[in-house]
Structure formats: structure tokens, C-alpha cells
């Protein structure tokens, strides 16, 4: 049940994510705000961020005068979170099997949050049950997870220019398999969380804009940077750069830029994001 494959993926991908932290923070700012609001954080709450990444929600927890604890399977992510939020406790561990109160000694958690960090478990029911065991009877959980691939250009816009050149192409994950869209089917979440001891459960659409030009400019280079830092980008570079050579690879990146330019909205890379905002209470109360 240990997430060995996901551990490797996120350990390999930590550098790209951390390097583009400011871009992701800007693009996902509406999601961060929605999760924090749904969590109803109060001063003094002990808050667990599952899949804390480089620490965005941990920083928000500090701003809310909570006591944030982060857990992430990737050492590189955890190191970045510690640098960014020195007030937080950050542990490198697998949330589905770790003794969370041993990893971060203290009182049971009052709040559990996650922004796109809970979709990668081999056994999600066991993982959510394990998290709940570390929680106070009055605990509340709030997290965001992606809906379908078809609703989210973030997984395809620009990156398909790279994947179309790969032979064989990347495998398309089975519905419900661990990965970004593991919880795309909202009907799966209700019984899964209830089996893990959470309830009542609420699953609501969270629609937002992924705006890569929020800091100024057209956002093309920002979008390209996040593509190249993703698993798709790393795979494309690994396979295609030796075949195409440096000049051919740069020409291919220009093709990605051209594809992004064709889809500008009001002069910037901007497209819809479609997620679920999930809230649940500890059913043990």
C-alpha cells in the first residue's frame, strides 16, 4: 500500500514545481482561498496539510494564526516548505500509512486541508481513515481535487504539442487510478470518505480561471515553464532532446509557444479550471 511510484514521481518532480512555485501560487490562488475558507480555520487550530508541496497552504495557515503541520512524500517538496514557512512543522512521510502524530507530535489535528494533494493514494479509503485517526473528534477537512481531464485544459494546452511527438505516447490512466483526476467522479468520494469515517460529506463544483498572465505579460513563458517542469515535460525532454538535438528541441518549444499564442484570451494564457471542493467532518464526534 506504500506509494512507491508516487514517491519517485514527486521526488523527481519537486525541482520543477519548486522552481515555478510563484506561477502555481498565482494560477491556483482562487483554489487556495476556497480551501482555506471552507476549512473555517480559527486561531490556535492545529492544521494538517496533506501533500503540502512547497508550503502554500502552510503559509495561509500561519496567516490565520493556526498551527500548521505539513506532510509530503517528496523530500524536495518538504525542504522547500520548511524554507518558505519556518513556523510550520513539515514531515516527509506517506500520509496513508504513517503515524501522523508520531511524525508531528502534539495534539490531534483540528483541521485537515489539501490543495490537489490527496489524489495519489494507492488505497484512498485507508489513507483518509489514517488521517482521521490523527484528528480531534470535532475535526473538519477541506480539500480541492481535479474534475475530468476534458474539463481542464491545464493538462493538455501546449503539452499536447510534445506528447504528439512521443512514440509510444504516454499511457492514459484508468478512471480512478492514482493521479491528478483520481476523484473526477464525485460519486466515488461520498462512499470512500464515509468508509474512512468522515461524514457528512459535501462535494461542490469549484470553477475558476487559470490565469498565467496575472503578474503581467501574456503568460506564454510562464505556461511553458510549468509544462517543462511537469512529468510530461520531463518525459518529452528525456526522449526527444537526444533525437532532435538542441536546435530541433528549441524549434519544438517554439511550436508550443505558437500553440499557446493561438489560444490567448484577451492577450494572455487563460483558461478554465474545474475542481471539486470537498468538505467533511469527523464522524466520530
Amino acid at each position: 500500500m506504500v506509494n512507491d511510484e508516487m514517491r519517485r514521481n514527486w521526488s523527481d518532480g519537486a525541482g520543477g514545481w519548486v522552481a515555478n512555485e510563484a506561477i502555481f501560487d498565482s494560477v491556483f490562488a482562487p483554489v487556495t482561498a476556497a480551501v482555506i475558507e471552507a476549512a473555517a480555520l480559527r486561531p490556535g487550530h492545529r492544521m494538517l496539510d496533506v501533500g503540502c508541496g512547497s508550503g502554500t497552504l502552510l503559509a495561509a495557515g500561519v496567516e490565520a494564526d493556526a498551527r500548521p503541520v505539513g506532510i509530503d512524500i517528496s523530500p524536495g517538496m518538504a525542504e522547500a516548505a520548511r524554507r518558505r514557512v519556518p513556523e510550520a512543522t513539515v514531515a516527509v512521510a506517506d500520509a496513508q500509512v504513517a503515524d501522523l502524530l508520531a511524525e508531528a507530535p502534539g495534539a490531534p489535528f483540528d483541521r485537515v486541508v489539501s490543495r490537489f494533494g490527496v489524489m495519489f493514494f494507492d488505497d484512498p479509503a485507508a489513507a483518509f481513515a489514517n488521517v482521521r485517526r490523527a484528528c480531534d473528534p470535532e475535526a473538519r477537512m477541506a480539500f480541492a481535487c481535479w474534475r475530468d481531464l476534458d474539463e481542464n485544459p491545464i493538462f493538455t494546452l501546449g503539452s499536447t504539442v510534445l506528447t504528439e511527438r512521443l512514440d509510444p505516447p504516454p499511457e492514459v490512466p484508468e478512471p480512478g487510478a492514482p493521479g491528478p483526476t483520481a476523484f473526477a467522479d464525485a460519486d466515488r468520494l461520498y462512499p470512500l470518505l464515509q468508509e474512512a469515517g468522515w461524514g457528512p460529506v459535501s462535494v461542490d463544483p469549484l470553477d475558476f480561471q487559470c490565469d498565467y498572465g496575472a503578474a503581467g505579460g501574456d503568460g506564454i513563458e510562464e505556461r511553458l515553464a510549468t509544462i517543462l517542469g511537469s512529468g510530461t515535460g520531463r518525459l518529452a525532454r528525456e526522449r526527444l532532446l537526444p533525437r532532435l538535438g538542441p536546435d530541433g528541441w528549441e524549434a519544438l518549444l517554439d511550436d508550443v509557444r505558437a500553440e499557446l499564442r493561438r489560444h490567448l484570451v484577451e492577450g494572455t494564457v487563460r483558461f478554465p479550471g474545474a475542481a471539486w471542493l470537498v468538505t467533511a467532518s469527523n464522524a466520530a464526534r
Side-chain angles (χ1 to χ4, degrees), residues 65-148:
D65 292 323
R67 294 175 293 152
V69 172
I71 185 165
D72 202 283
I73 205 167
S74 164
M77 291 289 205
E79 180 183 352
R82 293 188 189 108
R83 288 197 305 267
R84 180 177 180 178
V85 193
E87 304 93 332
T89 299
V90 182
V92 179
D94 183 347
Q96 76 176 358
V97 294
D99 181 340
L100 298 174
L101 293 179
E103 295 288 346
F109 297 104
D110 304 291
R111 295 291 186 268
V112 178
V113 298
S114 184
R115 188 193 70 182
F116 303 135
V118 297
M119 303 92 66
F120 304 96
F121 297 122
D122 290 334
D123 187 339
F128 284 118
N130 188 54
V131 169
R132 188 185 64 79
R133 283 191 288 271
C135 289
D136 184 86
E138 299 291 323
R140 178 178 177 84
M141 178 168 63
F143 66 83
C145 57
W146 293 108
R147 301 204 311 256
D148 286 329

Side-chain angles (χ1 to χ4, degrees), residues 4 8 19 34 47 60 114 157 184 214 220 245:
D4 288 334
R8 288 192 297 271
M47 181 197 91
S114 184
L157 183 60
I220 289 175

Side-chain angles (χ1 to χ4, degrees), residues 117-282:
V118 297
M119 303 92 66
F120 304 96
F121 297 122
D122 290 334
D123 187 339
F128 284 118
N130 188 54
V131 169
R132 188 185 64 79
R133 283 191 288 271
C135 289
D136 184 86
E138 299 291 323
R140 178 178 177 84
M141 178 168 63
F143 66 83
C145 57
W146 293 108
R147 301 204 311 256
D148 286 329
L149 289 172
D150 291 345
E151 296 181 85
N152 283 294
I154 194 167
F155 297 114
T156 55
L157 183 60
S159 59
T160 54
V161 175
L162 302 179
T163 57
E164 287 171 354
R165 299 290 295 272
L166 293 175
D167 186 18
E171 293 184 8
V172 178
E174 293 292 326
T181 57
F183 299 144
D185 180 0
D187 290 338
R188 182 185 180 208
L189 282 164
Y190 293 99
L192 188 155
L193 290 170
Q194 289 164 351
E195 177 187 347
W198 293 94
V201 177
S202 176
V203 181
D204 298 302
L206 175 59
D207 298 304
F208 63 101
Q209 286 290 314
C210 297
D211 187 351
Y212 286 78
D218 58 22
I220 289 175
E221 293 305 316
E222 287 80 359
R223 172 62 180 165
L224 178 60
T226 62
I227 291 172
L228 294 178
S230 70
T232 296
R234 297 195 307 275
L235 179 65
R237 183 189 295 271
E238 177 186 332
R239 290 189 186 177
L240 296 177
L241 181 56
R243 193 177 89 201
L244 299 175
D247 290 344
W249 173 250
E250 288 303 320
L252 180 58
L253 297 188
D254 283 340
D255 290 343
V256 176
R257 293 183 177 96
E259 175 70 4
L260 296 174
R261 198 168 290 113
R262 284 192 290 272
H263 289 86
L264 294 180
V265 176
E266 297 179 352
T268 65
V269 177
R270 185 186 305 160
F271 48 77
W276 296 119
L277 180 62
V278 183
T279 56
S281 300
N282 189 345

Side-chain angles (χ1 to χ4, degrees), residues 7-30:
R7 191 190 310 276
R8 288 192 297 271
N9 288 347
W10 283 108
S11 294
D12 292 344
W17 184 277
V18 173
N20 296 305
E21 173 186 284
I23 300 173
F24 287 121
D25 277 357
S26 176
V27 170
F28 296 151

